[in-house]
Amino acid sequence: MGKRTIIPFGPQHPVLPEPVHLDLVIEDEKVVEAIPSIGFIHRGLEKLVEKKEYPEMVYVIERICGICSFGHGWGYCAAAEGAMGVEIPDRAEFLRTIWHELSRVHSHLLWLGLLADGFGFESLFNHCWRVRETILDIFEETTGGRVIFSVCKVGGVRKDVDADTLKRIADTLENIKAEIKTLCDVFLEDVSVKNRLVGVGYLSKQDAIDLCTVGPMARASGINQDLRYNGHGKYLEVGFTPCVEEQGDCYARCKVRIDEIFESIGIIQRCIEAIPEGAIDVPVKGKFTGEFITRMEQPRGEAVYYAKAFDPGKETNYLERMRVRTPTNMNIPAMVKTLQGCDLADVPMLVLTIDPCISCTER
Amino acid sequence: MAVFKMAKVVLNRLFQKPATLMYPVVPREWTERTRGHIDIDVDQCIKCGICARKCPTNAITVDRDASTWEIQRMQCIQCGCCAEVCPKKCLSMAPEYTTPNTIKVVDKFDIPVKEKPAPKAAPADGAASGEDGLKCNAEECVYCGLCAKTCPVGAITVDRGEKKWEVDKDACVQCGACVDKCPKKCLSL
Ligand code: SF4
Ligand code: SF4
């Protein structure tokens, strides 16, 4: 048996997009234990509810994370609307679904790029991000922002998208599908890529359940759990198939996300066909009242949003408490589990396949 | 063959133009909605300060005494909130990004001082701006007149002797400055 050594990994590391720190206990080339620590980019955004009125808080919540920013804004608005009993118009809900699914496509393309970068395939990384630019351009055209959109508000959305633009978006997505397909084939079929992914970081279905994994991580281990079924947005109306794989390794997690890209494109196109005419927001006036929890399927998995007003009679324009539970938070225990017994060289793959978003986790 | 999957992508791209632009030689094309920077039409501004109060990052400072409107360009996150809340719609979101800089740029604009419009003392009947306008809870009001002094458009008249509080709903821009100032918190919008 070799001597045990501790190798610090992160928070600054070439393969890590986000600052997470791992103490890897190594024996020979094998990792025996991984001790994670976070806390490098805590910004105290939840505390800001005391300083920002609830309509302005959307801008803060959106900035929790740059990748699923729209989802965070939506989650907060949905919680606030639920608490105050606001019904939002159908068109707004459709637009939110479209933007959210576009975010999922861009998030997964970004992740595929990072994964390629993780196993040293620089050109593949650049190609994934090149295709992702198309989605960012759609965002810029429809919302004005490429990363942070600021279109969601309590009571609906701020900007409407006309029928021509929607049609063009559907066509653009149809066109880039072939391009995404060729790139995804590299991930799924190329021998050198498969060598890095297949059989690496196995997580059994039982472990996935015990460790409370969420999102693509859970779906890759055979758990058919997708929050889009719970009725937010227009998913049930336009229909969708959750992408589930059974193998539970890095390859399966990659496959799930690739399938989700195409599923999301389908959802967007069906939404564009079904979107009704009408108002895009309802006026919301007065103080913040009530208490509500919403659950959303973010690109990385289930996120929970909780909003609470001050006691009845003492309500103000501020929230008493706002809480976000993010998907990466739930996936870290599973990551630590899969790290036990893996090769040191596979650590980047394992950390990346949970698609860590530490900015969300620490807020 | 599975080993040459990437070759197809690479060969394809060899004959296409680069995906990137030669920044800064080739200018970027902005879309109509791009949120680049905030512009102000100084002639319209009434120095009410709503923009400063609503800005999530406190990037705006409105100095009513010096008659200036100031924005810290690096602090601004281009959310567009100020443009949305400005009662005179004198703020707008322009598409061009500000030039990259190594110092924190502060843009200061002088607001031309206007003659104060004579307060129209017509008592409000609630019709002008609907039922949502400014309201005063007469039971708590102490008629101190702070609201009238704060109002940027002079829409409020307070008569201490007569115990009368009136708002000219046509003139009121619903900025909420008086609501914040009121010591008894008896005003609401
Ligand atoms: S909200 Fe508009 S009118 Fe009021 S101070 Fe700001 S820019 Fe001027
Ligand atoms: S755009 Fe947003 S951050 Fe910038 S000055 Fe206006 S309110 Fe403040």
Side-chain angles (χ1 to χ4, degrees), chain B residues 38-60:
Chain B
I38 287 287
D39 258 352
I40 179 171
D41 174 5
V42 282
D43 293 332
Q44 293 291 317
C45 179
I46 51 169
K47 296 176 274 180
C48 66
I50 306 192
C51 50
R53 260 177 289 131
K54 297 279 177 179
C55 172
T57 58
N58 305 336
I60 302 178

Side-chain angles (χ1 to χ4, degrees), chain A residues 301-313:
Chain A
E302 173 188 343
V304 178
Y305 300 84
Y306 170 69
K308 181 178 183 297
F310 283 96
D311 293 339

Side-chain angles (χ1 to χ4, degrees), chain B residues 61 67 111 149-150 173:
Chain B
T61 324
S67 193
I111 315 276
K149 283 202 198 97
T150 318
V173 289

